[in-house]
Amino acid sequence: MKSADIRQAFLTFFEEQGHTIVPTSSLVPGNDPTLLFTNAGMVPFKDVFLGRDPRPYVRATSAQRCVRAGGKHNDLDNVGYTARHHTFFEMLGNFSFGDYFKRDAIRFAWTFLTERLGLPAEKLWVTVHVSDDEAEKIWKEEIGVDPARFSKLDEDNFWQMGDTGPCGPSSEIFFDHGPEVWGGPPGSPEEDGDRYIEIWNLVFMQFDRDAGGTLNPLPKPSIDTGMGLERVAAVLQGVHSNYQIDLFQNLLAAAAKATGHADTATPSLRVIADHIRSCAFLIVDGVLPSNEGRGYVLRRIIRRAIRHGHKLGASEPFFHKLVAALDAEMGDAYPELRQASEQIARVLLKEEEQFARTLDHGMGLLEAALADLQGDELPGATVFKLYDTYGFPFDLTADVCRERGVTLDEAGFERELEAQRQRARAASQFGADYAAAIELDGETTFTGYERLEDDARVT
Ligand code: ATP
Ligand code: MG
Ligand code: MG
Ligand code: MG
């Protein structure tokens, strides 16, 4: 089954179960200024769960575009290293707003996976929260899941919207990709491996946590679920990595062509093929590269992709060329992408040309610093110079260092940043406007963005 067919099969299945199909929302959350990006299918429904946004339906289903490249869920560092993480992905979800609860949510999920998609039950592993005897009973007695493939876990199976408010236990479904792949079942010491891959998370919104920490039962409990389209596509297409699915094959081929590097298994090509999706869709949703907030996250992702192309030997701008391949893959499902594709390519090309001016010099400086390194930590002053003079975002330098097994002096870097801010403040005695602009730049690059991170509490 192709990715597009899986998306459609999911929406159709839940429509048959009385759910209204709700179109995907923007990556820039309209209802929550503190959240960096839409990072889960439930984000556009947050106010519906809270009873503040009445809708003409109590059951909904969607295929929501998501970005996890900052904030509470930041998977940027995983991309290229795990088989299952992207910066941009689609989350398939079904939602109940005070309508059905655990029993139906579990039954829908199991029926969809085993009957509609035909997955063998013996490849699926289920977890519930340690406290959730009710869900355990449903899984074991009503669904008949094998106790050998069932476990009760703690933190991974509890969800909360914030420090107070709706929260509840969750239940997750994993797919076992088989003993050839390294990794252990959920809850085991090897669970970080990629053998057992989490495909679906069912959240049972059951309590309202008050300021004193007490969990009060919600009068009308709700359901929020999320399944990664790319992960389930990998399962159905009989491949282990998300990067082997239909959609990524073509993006990887385009990345190979644009960089002149033929081996599509190279991690850098995976990074580039991943990053074009988040960058293009962020631009579709009105984010432009800048030095602050969301725009700085976009700039960081673009520059990271450019650096990986540079590593593969691309000497000309290449990243913007992938927009056409992405449009071919996703333009049917996302007409807004098709419509914006020329503009996206222009924005990316401009950013490529701009960064090309400093990338070579910065990489030269970084290579020299790495060659001269005593120990295995890159000094904060070097990280700062790369940032300040050559436009290397912190995580870009970290990405290079990770490839070499070197860590970064992050505290030292923060001190240099702070010192720069102090200098700007001192200078403000002589020219308030100019200094304020510098301060804003420095601050929003980190402090401002951290603030968004701290408040980004959704799923
Ligand atoms: P993981 O533990 O693998 O990082 P998660 O627990 O962070 O996943 P959830 O927040 O539960 O993921 O999101 C619901 C579903 O969305 C997951 O079960 C998975 O299928 C998918 N998903 C989450 N993060 C990503 C990602 N970075 N790339 C692709 N799919 C993802
Ligand atoms: Mg995660
Ligand atoms: Mg998880
Ligand atoms: Mg999860």
Side-chain angles (χ1 to χ4, degrees):
M1 252 176 134
K2 293 206 157 210
S3 306
D5 302 329
I6 301 168
R7 187 195 296 116
Q8 195 51 52
F10 184 93
L11 297 173
T12 303
F13 174 82
F14 281 99
E15 190 175 41
E16 287 163 11
Q17 321 296 328
H19 294 64
T20 298
I21 299 178
V22 178
T24 172
S25 295
S26 170
L27 289 169
V28 177
N31 57 2
D32 187 348
T34 67
L35 183 65
L36 199 54
F37 300 122
T38 300
N39 57 13
M42 65 78 66
V43 169
F45 298 112
K46 222 165 133 179
D47 288 341
V48 187
F49 285 113
L50 294 168
R52 291 185 201 142
D53 177 3
R55 301 271 172 108
Y57 45 77
V58 288
R59 298 178 176 204
T61 183
S62 66
Q64 176 61 47
R65 54 180 182 269
C66 295
V67 165
R68 293 191 173 185
K72 184 184 163 200
H73 285 288
N74 187 353
D75 287 333
L76 191 58
D77 294 337
N78 289 322
V79 170
Y81 293 94
T82 73
R84 67 186 197 276
H85 288 107
H86 301 298
T87 53
F88 172 98
F89 63 100
E90 289 180 80
M91 201 184 282
L92 305 169
N94 58 289
F95 309 92
S96 154
F97 310 113
D99 186 37
Y100 65 84
F101 198 44
K102 279 181 207 182
R103 171 165 291 113
D104 287 322
I106 291 174
R107 195 169 45 79
F108 289 153
W110 192 255
T111 307
F112 181 71
L113 292 177
T114 59
E115 291 177 24
R116 195 55 65 94
L117 298 184
L119 297 184
E122 56 291 356
K123 295 245 172 144
L124 300 172
W125 190 291
V126 171
T127 65
V128 301
H129 189 249
V130 276
S131 68
D132 200 350
D133 298 336
E134 185 190 358
E136 177 178 22
K137 227 171 147 202
I138 297 170
W139 276 117
K140 286 189 177 160
E141 293 173 17
E142 297 178 29
I143 302 290
V145 76
D146 187 341
R149 286 187 300 275
F150 179 89
S151 40
K152 291 177 105 173
L153 301 178
D154 197 359
E155 294 98 41
D156 271 357
N157 284 88
F158 200 87
W159 176 89
Q160 52 195 44
M161 205 177 269
D163 292 338
T164 58
C167 58
S170 68
S171 179
E172 295 193 321
I173 305 172
F174 293 71
F175 183 82
D176 178 2
H177 280 269
E180 319 69 71
V181 186
W182 183 82
S188 76
E190 296 84 30
E191 70 173 353
D192 282 342
D194 269 337
R195 173 171 169 182
Y196 295 84
I197 289 192
E198 177 189 326
I199 52 174
W200 205 341
N201 187 359
L202 318 176
V203 175
F204 310 131
M205 248 180 250
Q206 191 168 356
F207 304 109
D208 184 11
R209 195 197 300 267
D210 66 26
T214 307
L215 296 178
N216 304 300
L218 283 171
K220 282 183 159 189
S222 291
I223 291 293
D224 152 31
T225 88
M227 171 158 70
L229 172 63
E230 299 77 5
R231 292 190 191 184
V232 73
V235 167
L236 288 169
Q237 293 172 17
V239 293
H240 169 238
S241 161
N242 285 8
Y243 292 92
Q244 293 168 291
I245 67 173
D246 54 332
L247 194 151
F248 271 100
Q249 284 308 315
N250 297 330
L251 286 182
L252 283 166
K257 187 158 171 248
T259 58
H261 184 93
D263 177 9
T264 53
T266 306
S268 287
L269 283 181
R270 292 206 294 268
V271 174
I272 293 165
D274 170 87
H275 286 10
I276 189 64
R277 298 212 303 165
S278 48
C279 293
F281 276 97
L282 285 171
I283 297 168
V284 166
D285 286 334
V287 181
L288 289 172
S290 77
N291 280 338
E292 58 182 51
R294 298 187 173 106
Y296 190 57
V297 179
L298 172 60
R299 172 162 284 165
R300 285 162 50 208
I301 307 173
I302 298 173
R303 292 192 172 181
R304 211 159 186 255
I306 298 172
R307 202 284 294 179
H308 279 278
H310 181 267
K311 188 183 167 199
L312 296 179
S315 49
E316 295 294 313
F318 67 95
F319 196 47
H320 66 287
K321 294 183 186 161
L322 303 185
V323 177
L326 180 66
D327 180 8
E329 283 305 310
M330 299 188 72
D332 287 342
Y334 291 95
E336 58 272 52
L337 172 72
R338 181 145 297 163
Q339 215 191 332
S341 62
E342 272 173 39
Q343 190 218 344
I344 299 166
R346 261 200 314 276
V347 170
L348 294 179
L349 175 61
K350 193 166 154 237
E351 191 72 8
E352 287 191 84
E353 287 170 343
Q354 193 182 328
F355 191 44
R357 285 185 225 131
T358 56
L359 175 64
D360 257 337
H361 290 291
M363 280 309 293
L365 178 103
L366 179 52
E367 290 295 354
L370 287 169
D372 290 348
L373 200 64
Q374 314 284 327
D376 55 9
E377 188 180 74
L378 192 70
T382 310
V383 185
F384 180 74
K385 179 149 198 202
L386 285 165
Y387 162 81
D388 194 45
T389 310
Y390 300 103
F392 278 39
F394 179 87
D395 63 276
L396 189 158
T397 305
D399 192 38
V400 178
C401 287
R402 179 174 170 171
E403 290 167 3
R404 313 291 174 84
V406 170
T407 59
L408 282 72
D409 175 13
E410 187 167 359
F413 169 72
E414 296 285 349
R415 275 196 303 278
E416 297 277 348
L417 256 188
E418 186 50 37
Q420 187 194 49
R421 276 180 210 138
Q422 297 293 347
R423 286 195 295 277
R425 261 180 221 124
S428 75
Q429 296 162 9
F430 305 102
D433 284 346
Y434 173 67
I438 296 203
E439 187 177 352
L440 183 74
D441 210 29
E443 223 175 63
T444 46
T445 299
F446 277 88
T447 319
Y449 169 53
E450 291 296 329
R451 201 183 56 240
L452 275 167
E453 290 204 354
D454 289 342
D455 290 350
R457 292 204 190 90
V458 176
T459 330

PDB file of all heavy atoms in Angstrom, residues 61-90:
ATOM      1  N   THR A  61     -11.642  12.808  12.706  1.00  0.00           N
ATOM      2  CA  THR A  61     -10.425  12.111  12.270  1.00  0.00           C
ATOM      3  C   THR A  61      -9.654  13.034  11.336  1.00  0.00           C
ATOM      4  O   THR A  61     -10.249  13.851  10.632  1.00  0.00           O
ATOM      5  CB  THR A  61     -10.772  10.766  11.586  1.00  0.00           C
ATOM      6  OG1 THR A  61      -9.544  10.105  11.238  1.00  0.00           O
ATOM      7  CG2 THR A  61     -11.603  10.939  10.321  1.00  0.00           C
ATOM      8  N   SER A  62      -8.313  12.929  11.367  1.00  0.00           N
ATOM      9  CA  SER A  62      -7.506  13.807  10.518  1.00  0.00           C
ATOM     10  C   SER A  62      -6.163  13.169  10.205  1.00  0.00           C
ATOM     11  O   SER A  62      -5.732  12.238  10.865  1.00  0.00           O
ATOM     12  CB  SER A  62      -7.260  15.154  11.222  1.00  0.00           C
ATOM     13  OG  SER A  62      -6.457  14.962  12.372  1.00  0.00           O
ATOM     14  N   ALA A  63      -5.540  13.698   9.144  1.00  0.00           N
ATOM     15  CA  ALA A  63      -4.137  13.391   8.848  1.00  0.00           C
ATOM     16  C   ALA A  63      -3.442  14.733   8.987  1.00  0.00           C
ATOM     17  O   ALA A  63      -3.529  15.585   8.106  1.00  0.00           O
ATOM     18  CB  ALA A  63      -3.994  12.839   7.431  1.00  0.00           C
ATOM     19  N   GLN A  64      -2.814  14.948  10.126  1.00  0.00           N
ATOM     20  CA  GLN A  64      -2.293  16.277  10.455  1.00  0.00           C
ATOM     21  C   GLN A  64      -0.793  16.369  10.169  1.00  0.00           C
ATOM     22  O   GLN A  64      -0.015  15.535  10.617  1.00  0.00           O
ATOM     23  CB  GLN A  64      -2.545  16.572  11.939  1.00  0.00           C
ATOM     24  CG  GLN A  64      -1.955  17.884  12.431  1.00  0.00           C
ATOM     25  CD  GLN A  64      -2.534  19.107  11.713  1.00  0.00           C
ATOM     26  OE1 GLN A  64      -3.744  19.218  11.551  1.00  0.00           O
ATOM     27  NE2 GLN A  64      -1.667  20.013  11.275  1.00  0.00           N
ATOM     28  N   ARG A  65      -0.400  17.417   9.435  1.00  0.00           N
ATOM     29  CA  ARG A  65       1.029  17.608   9.237  1.00  0.00           C
ATOM     30  C   ARG A  65       1.650  18.104  10.543  1.00  0.00           C
ATOM     31  O   ARG A  65       1.065  18.965  11.230  1.00  0.00           O
ATOM     32  CB  ARG A  65       1.314  18.561   8.088  1.00  0.00           C
ATOM     33  CG  ARG A  65       0.657  19.935   8.106  1.00  0.00           C
ATOM     34  CD  ARG A  65       1.137  20.642   6.843  1.00  0.00           C
ATOM     35  NE  ARG A  65       0.678  22.000   6.643  1.00  0.00           N
ATOM     36  CZ  ARG A  65      -0.448  22.322   5.975  1.00  0.00           C
ATOM     37  NH1 ARG A  65      -1.288  21.383   5.575  1.00  0.00           N
ATOM     38  NH2 ARG A  65      -0.737  23.599   5.754  1.00  0.00           N
ATOM     39  N   CYS A  66       2.796  17.560  10.891  1.00  0.00           N
ATOM     40  CA  CYS A  66       3.445  17.886  12.169  1.00  0.00           C
ATOM     41  C   CYS A  66       4.924  18.177  11.952  1.00  0.00           C
ATOM     42  O   CYS A  66       5.547  17.600  11.065  1.00  0.00           O
ATOM     43  CB  CYS A  66       3.371  16.691  13.120  1.00  0.00           C
ATOM     44  SG  CYS A  66       1.698  16.250  13.624  1.00  0.00           S
ATOM     45  N   VAL A  67       5.470  19.050  12.785  1.00  0.00           N
ATOM     46  CA  VAL A  67       6.918  19.264  12.819  1.00  0.00           C
ATOM     47  C   VAL A  67       7.402  19.102  14.247  1.00  0.00           C
ATOM     48  O   VAL A  67       6.814  19.663  15.181  1.00  0.00           O
ATOM     49  CB  VAL A  67       7.303  20.651  12.245  1.00  0.00           C
ATOM     50  CG1 VAL A  67       8.734  21.009  12.623  1.00  0.00           C
ATOM     51  CG2 VAL A  67       7.181  20.657  10.724  1.00  0.00           C
ATOM     52  N   ARG A  68       8.420  18.300  14.426  1.00  0.00           N
ATOM     53  CA  ARG A  68       9.074  18.161  15.737  1.00  0.00           C
ATOM     54  C   ARG A  68      10.548  18.511  15.579  1.00  0.00           C
ATOM     55  O   ARG A  68      11.400  17.652  15.410  1.00  0.00           O
ATOM     56  CB  ARG A  68       8.909  16.739  16.271  1.00  0.00           C
ATOM     57  CG  ARG A  68       7.462  16.428  16.606  1.00  0.00           C
ATOM     58  CD  ARG A  68       7.292  15.133  17.368  1.00  0.00           C
ATOM     59  NE  ARG A  68       5.902  15.003  17.775  1.00  0.00           N
ATOM     60  CZ  ARG A  68       5.437  14.015  18.544  1.00  0.00           C
ATOM     61  NH1 ARG A  68       6.260  13.073  18.989  1.00  0.00           N
ATOM     62  NH2 ARG A  68       4.162  13.981  18.884  1.00  0.00           N
ATOM     63  N   ALA A  69      10.804  19.802  15.561  1.00  0.00           N
ATOM     64  CA  ALA A  69      12.184  20.252  15.378  1.00  0.00           C
ATOM     65  C   ALA A  69      12.474  21.390  16.340  1.00  0.00           C
ATOM     66  O   ALA A  69      13.176  22.338  16.030  1.00  0.00           O
ATOM     67  CB  ALA A  69      12.399  20.702  13.940  1.00  0.00           C
ATOM     68  N   GLY A  70      11.899  21.297  17.523  1.00  0.00           N
ATOM     69  CA  GLY A  70      12.083  22.354  18.513  1.00  0.00           C
ATOM     70  C   GLY A  70      10.983  22.191  19.522  1.00  0.00           C
ATOM     71  O   GLY A  70      10.049  21.414  19.294  1.00  0.00           O
ATOM     72  N   GLY A  71      11.082  22.887  20.649  1.00  0.00           N
ATOM     73  CA  GLY A  71      10.055  22.757  21.666  1.00  0.00           C
ATOM     74  C   GLY A  71      10.206  21.461  22.431  1.00  0.00           C
ATOM     75  O   GLY A  71      11.265  20.845  22.442  1.00  0.00           O
ATOM     76  N   LYS A  72       9.110  21.041  23.040  1.00  0.00           N
ATOM     77  CA  LYS A  72       9.175  19.864  23.908  1.00  0.00           C
ATOM     78  C   LYS A  72       9.548  18.599  23.128  1.00  0.00           C
ATOM     79  O   LYS A  72      10.288  17.756  23.614  1.00  0.00           O
ATOM     80  CB  LYS A  72       7.820  19.678  24.593  1.00  0.00           C
ATOM     81  CG  LYS A  72       7.831  18.535  25.598  1.00  0.00           C
ATOM     82  CD  LYS A  72       6.451  18.315  26.193  1.00  0.00           C
ATOM     83  CE  LYS A  72       6.398  16.951  26.841  1.00  0.00           C
ATOM     84  NZ  LYS A  72       5.021  16.502  27.012  1.00  0.00           N
ATOM     85  N   HIS A  73       9.014  18.478  21.925  1.00  0.00           N
ATOM     86  CA  HIS A  73       9.355  17.316  21.106  1.00  0.00           C
ATOM     87  C   HIS A  73      10.328  17.774  20.042  1.00  0.00           C
ATOM     88  O   HIS A  73       9.933  18.323  19.032  1.00  0.00           O
ATOM     89  CB  HIS A  73       8.114  16.774  20.407  1.00  0.00           C
ATOM     90  CG  HIS A  73       7.223  16.023  21.313  1.00  0.00           C
ATOM     91  ND1 HIS A  73       7.546  14.781  21.806  1.00  0.00           N
ATOM     92  CD2 HIS A  73       6.024  16.321  21.829  1.00  0.00           C
ATOM     93  CE1 HIS A  73       6.571  14.348  22.571  1.00  0.00           C
ATOM     94  NE2 HIS A  73       5.634  15.271  22.617  1.00  0.00           N
ATOM     95  N   ASN A  74      11.609  17.553  20.260  1.00  0.00           N
ATOM     96  CA  ASN A  74      12.576  17.958  19.267  1.00  0.00           C
ATOM     97  C   ASN A  74      13.286  16.720  18.744  1.00  0.00           C
ATOM     98  O   ASN A  74      14.127  16.158  19.416  1.00  0.00           O
ATOM     99  CB  ASN A  74      13.576  18.940  19.877  1.00  0.00           C
ATOM    100  CG  ASN A  74      14.495  19.506  18.818  1.00  0.00           C
ATOM    101  OD1 ASN A  74      14.464  19.064  17.669  1.00  0.00           O
ATOM    102  ND2 ASN A  74      15.304  20.469  19.195  1.00  0.00           N
ATOM    103  N   ASP A  75      12.923  16.300  17.549  1.00  0.00           N
ATOM    104  CA  ASP A  75      13.528  15.095  16.988  1.00  0.00           C
ATOM    105  C   ASP A  75      14.631  15.406  15.985  1.00  0.00           C
ATOM    106  O   ASP A  75      15.149  14.502  15.330  1.00  0.00           O
ATOM    107  CB  ASP A  75      12.450  14.208  16.336  1.00  0.00           C
ATOM    108  CG  ASP A  75      11.583  13.526  17.396  1.00  0.00           C
ATOM    109  OD1 ASP A  75      12.081  13.309  18.510  1.00  0.00           O
ATOM    110  OD2 ASP A  75      10.411  13.214  17.098  1.00  0.00           O
ATOM    111  N   LEU A  76      15.004  16.694  15.882  1.00  0.00           N
ATOM    112  CA  LEU A  76      16.017  17.100  14.900  1.00  0.00           C
ATOM    113  C   LEU A  76      17.288  16.259  15.031  1.00  0.00           C
ATOM    114  O   LEU A  76      17.832  15.789  14.033  1.00  0.00           O
ATOM    115  CB  LEU A  76      16.331  18.585  15.110  1.00  0.00           C
ATOM    116  CG  LEU A  76      17.163  19.307  14.054  1.00  0.00           C
ATOM    117  CD1 LEU A  76      16.513  19.237  12.685  1.00  0.00           C
ATOM    118  CD2 LEU A  76      17.359  20.767  14.436  1.00  0.00           C
ATOM    119  N   ASP A  77      17.740  16.046  16.243  1.00  0.00           N
ATOM    120  CA  ASP A  77      18.998  15.315  16.428  1.00  0.00           C
ATOM    121  C   ASP A  77      18.879  13.833  16.108  1.00  0.00           C
ATOM    122  O   ASP A  77      19.882  13.153  15.926  1.00  0.00           O
ATOM    123  CB  ASP A  77      19.504  15.468  17.871  1.00  0.00           C
ATOM    124  CG  ASP A  77      19.883  16.910  18.159  1.00  0.00           C
ATOM    125  OD1 ASP A  77      20.176  17.638  17.192  1.00  0.00           O
ATOM    126  OD2 ASP A  77      19.877  17.301  19.342  1.00  0.00           O
ATOM    127  N   ASN A  78      17.652  13.315  16.074  1.00  0.00           N
ATOM    128  CA  ASN A  78      17.467  11.893  15.752  1.00  0.00           C
ATOM    129  C   ASN A  78      17.511  11.629  14.254  1.00  0.00           C
ATOM    130  O   ASN A  78      17.755  10.507  13.826  1.00  0.00           O
ATOM    131  CB  ASN A  78      16.095  11.407  16.245  1.00  0.00           C
ATOM    132  CG  ASN A  78      16.035  11.304  17.760  1.00  0.00           C
ATOM    133  OD1 ASN A  78      17.008  10.916  18.390  1.00  0.00           O
ATOM    134  ND2 ASN A  78      14.891  11.640  18.339  1.00  0.00           N
ATOM    135  N   VAL A  79      17.210  12.663  13.480  1.00  0.00           N
ATOM    136  CA  VAL A  79      17.050  12.462  12.036  1.00  0.00           C
ATOM    137  C   VAL A  79      18.377  12.060  11.393  1.00  0.00           C
ATOM    138  O   VAL A  79      19.395  12.699  11.608  1.00  0.00           O
ATOM    139  CB  VAL A  79      16.480  13.733  11.372  1.00  0.00           C
ATOM    140  CG1 VAL A  79      16.530  13.624   9.857  1.00  0.00           C
ATOM    141  CG2 VAL A  79      15.057  13.950  11.846  1.00  0.00           C
ATOM    142  N   GLY A  80      18.298  10.991  10.622  1.00  0.00           N
ATOM    143  CA  GLY A  80      19.512  10.464   9.998  1.00  0.00           C
ATOM    144  C   GLY A  80      20.137   9.352  10.837  1.00  0.00           C
ATOM    145  O   GLY A  80      20.912   8.558  10.334  1.00  0.00           O
ATOM    146  N   TYR A  81      19.768   9.295  12.109  1.00  0.00           N
ATOM    147  CA  TYR A  81      20.354   8.290  13.004  1.00  0.00           C
ATOM    148  C   TYR A  81      19.391   7.169  13.367  1.00  0.00           C
ATOM    149  O   TYR A  81      19.811   6.053  13.618  1.00  0.00           O
ATOM    150  CB  TYR A  81      20.886   8.947  14.288  1.00  0.00           C
ATOM    151  CG  TYR A  81      22.053   9.852  14.024  1.00  0.00           C
ATOM    152  CD1 TYR A  81      21.879  11.225  13.825  1.00  0.00           C
ATOM    153  CD2 TYR A  81      23.353   9.343  13.929  1.00  0.00           C
ATOM    154  CE1 TYR A  81      22.953  12.055  13.555  1.00  0.00           C
ATOM    155  CE2 TYR A  81      24.429  10.167  13.650  1.00  0.00           C
ATOM    156  CZ  TYR A  81      24.220  11.528  13.475  1.00  0.00           C
ATOM    157  OH  TYR A  81      25.280  12.343  13.196  1.00  0.00           O
ATOM    158  N   THR A  82      18.088   7.463  13.470  1.00  0.00           N
ATOM    159  CA  THR A  82      17.132   6.386  13.735  1.00  0.00           C
ATOM    160  C   THR A  82      16.355   6.095  12.450  1.00  0.00           C
ATOM    161  O   THR A  82      16.349   6.900  11.512  1.00  0.00           O
ATOM    162  CB  THR A  82      16.104   6.758  14.829  1.00  0.00           C
ATOM    163  OG1 THR A  82      15.165   7.708  14.292  1.00  0.00           O
ATOM    164  CG2 THR A  82      16.763   7.334  16.072  1.00  0.00           C
ATOM    165  N   ALA A  83      15.697   4.933  12.457  1.00  0.00           N
ATOM    166  CA  ALA A  83      14.913   4.549  11.279  1.00  0.00           C
ATOM    167  C   ALA A  83      13.551   5.213  11.291  1.00  0.00           C
ATOM    168  O   ALA A  83      12.823   5.147  10.308  1.00  0.00           O
ATOM    169  CB  ALA A  83      14.750   3.028  11.258  1.00  0.00           C
ATOM    170  N   ARG A  84      13.178   5.835  12.424  1.00  0.00           N
ATOM    171  CA  ARG A  84      11.773   6.194  12.594  1.00  0.00           C
ATOM    172  C   ARG A  84      11.471   7.662  12.846  1.00  0.00           C
ATOM    173  O   ARG A  84      10.312   8.034  12.967  1.00  0.00           O
ATOM    174  CB  ARG A  84      11.197   5.391  13.758  1.00  0.00           C
ATOM    175  CG  ARG A  84      11.764   5.743  15.134  1.00  0.00           C
ATOM    176  CD  ARG A  84      11.238   4.795  16.196  1.00  0.00           C
ATOM    177  NE  ARG A  84      11.413   5.312  17.548  1.00  0.00           N
ATOM    178  CZ  ARG A  84      12.524   5.198  18.258  1.00  0.00           C
ATOM    179  NH1 ARG A  84      13.584   4.580  17.743  1.00  0.00           N
ATOM    180  NH2 ARG A  84      12.591   5.696  19.480  1.00  0.00           N
ATOM    181  N   HIS A  85      12.473   8.511  12.948  1.00  0.00           N
ATOM    182  CA  HIS A  85      12.200   9.918  13.276  1.00  0.00           C
ATOM    183  C   HIS A  85      12.391  10.855  12.079  1.00  0.00           C
ATOM    184  O   HIS A  85      13.380  10.769  11.364  1.00  0.00           O
ATOM    185  CB  HIS A  85      13.092  10.399  14.430  1.00  0.00           C
ATOM    186  CG  HIS A  85      12.691   9.823  15.747  1.00  0.00           C
ATOM    187  ND1 HIS A  85      13.413   8.852  16.388  1.00  0.00           N
ATOM    188  CD2 HIS A  85      11.623  10.091  16.542  1.00  0.00           C
ATOM    189  CE1 HIS A  85      12.806   8.535  17.531  1.00  0.00           C
ATOM    190  NE2 HIS A  85      11.706   9.270  17.653  1.00  0.00           N
ATOM    191  N   HIS A  86      11.436  11.747  11.947  1.00  0.00           N
ATOM    192  CA  HIS A  86      11.516  12.812  10.947  1.00  0.00           C
ATOM    193  C   HIS A  86      11.345  14.150  11.658  1.00  0.00           C
ATOM    194  O   HIS A  86      10.793  14.196  12.760  1.00  0.00           O
ATOM    195  CB  HIS A  86      10.373  12.708   9.930  1.00  0.00           C
ATOM    196  CG  HIS A  86      10.346  11.409   9.200  1.00  0.00           C
ATOM    197  ND1 HIS A  86      11.369  11.000   8.391  1.00  0.00           N
ATOM    198  CD2 HIS A  86       9.417  10.430   9.151  1.00  0.00           C
ATOM    199  CE1 HIS A  86      11.083   9.819   7.873  1.00  0.00           C
ATOM    200  NE2 HIS A  86       9.896   9.441   8.327  1.00  0.00           N
ATOM    201  N   THR A  87      11.753  15.227  10.974  1.00  0.00           N
ATOM    202  CA  THR A  87      11.377  16.549  11.500  1.00  0.00           C
ATOM    203  C   THR A  87       9.927  16.831  11.103  1.00  0.00           C
ATOM    204  O   THR A  87       9.158  17.372  11.872  1.00  0.00           O
ATOM    205  CB  THR A  87      12.298  17.660  10.963  1.00  0.00           C
ATOM    206  OG1 THR A  87      12.327  17.594   9.537  1.00  0.00           O
ATOM    207  CG2 THR A  87      13.701  17.532  11.520  1.00  0.00           C
ATOM    208  N   PHE A  88       9.564  16.416   9.888  1.00  0.00           N
ATOM    209  CA  PHE A  88       8.183  16.581   9.406  1.00  0.00           C
ATOM    210  C   PHE A  88       7.572  15.202   9.210  1.00  0.00           C
ATOM    211  O   PHE A  88       8.202  14.320   8.626  1.00  0.00           O
ATOM    212  CB  PHE A  88       8.176  17.313   8.053  1.00  0.00           C
ATOM    213  CG  PHE A  88       6.818  17.359   7.388  1.00  0.00           C
ATOM    214  CD1 PHE A  88       6.020  18.481   7.495  1.00  0.00           C
ATOM    215  CD2 PHE A  88       6.329  16.276   6.650  1.00  0.00           C
ATOM    216  CE1 PHE A  88       4.761  18.523   6.894  1.00  0.00           C
ATOM    217  CE2 PHE A  88       5.074  16.309   6.047  1.00  0.00           C
ATOM    218  CZ  PHE A  88       4.293  17.444   6.167  1.00  0.00           C
ATOM    219  N   PHE A  89       6.367  14.999   9.697  1.00  0.00           N
ATOM    220  CA  PHE A  89       5.662  13.744   9.417  1.00  0.00           C
ATOM    221  C   PHE A  89       4.161  14.002   9.475  1.00  0.00           C
ATOM    222  O   PHE A  89       3.716  15.078   9.867  1.00  0.00           O
ATOM    223  CB  PHE A  89       6.075  12.639  10.400  1.00  0.00           C
ATOM    224  CG  PHE A  89       5.730  12.916  11.840  1.00  0.00           C
ATOM    225  CD1 PHE A  89       4.602  12.322  12.420  1.00  0.00           C
ATOM    226  CD2 PHE A  89       6.507  13.745  12.626  1.00  0.00           C
ATOM    227  CE1 PHE A  89       4.277  12.563  13.748  1.00  0.00           C
ATOM    228  CE2 PHE A  89       6.194  13.992  13.953  1.00  0.00           C
ATOM    229  CZ  PHE A  89       5.071  13.399  14.511  1.00  0.00           C
ATOM    230  N   GLU A  90       3.401  12.992   9.065  1.00  0.00           N
ATOM    231  CA  GLU A  90       1.945  13.119   9.131  1.00  0.00           C
ATOM    232  C   GLU A  90       1.416  12.226  10.235  1.00  0.00           C
ATOM    233  O   GLU A  90       1.778  11.047  10.306  1.00  0.00           O
ATOM    234  CB  GLU A  90       1.321  12.721   7.789  1.00  0.00           C
ATOM    235  CG  GLU A  90       1.589  13.735   6.699  1.00  0.00           C
ATOM    236  CD  GLU A  90       0.967  13.308   5.377  1.00  0.00           C
ATOM    237  OE1 GLU A  90      -0.242  13.491   5.184  1.00  0.00           O
ATOM    238  OE2 GLU A  90       1.702  12.775   4.532  1.00  0.00           O
TER     239      GLU A  90
END
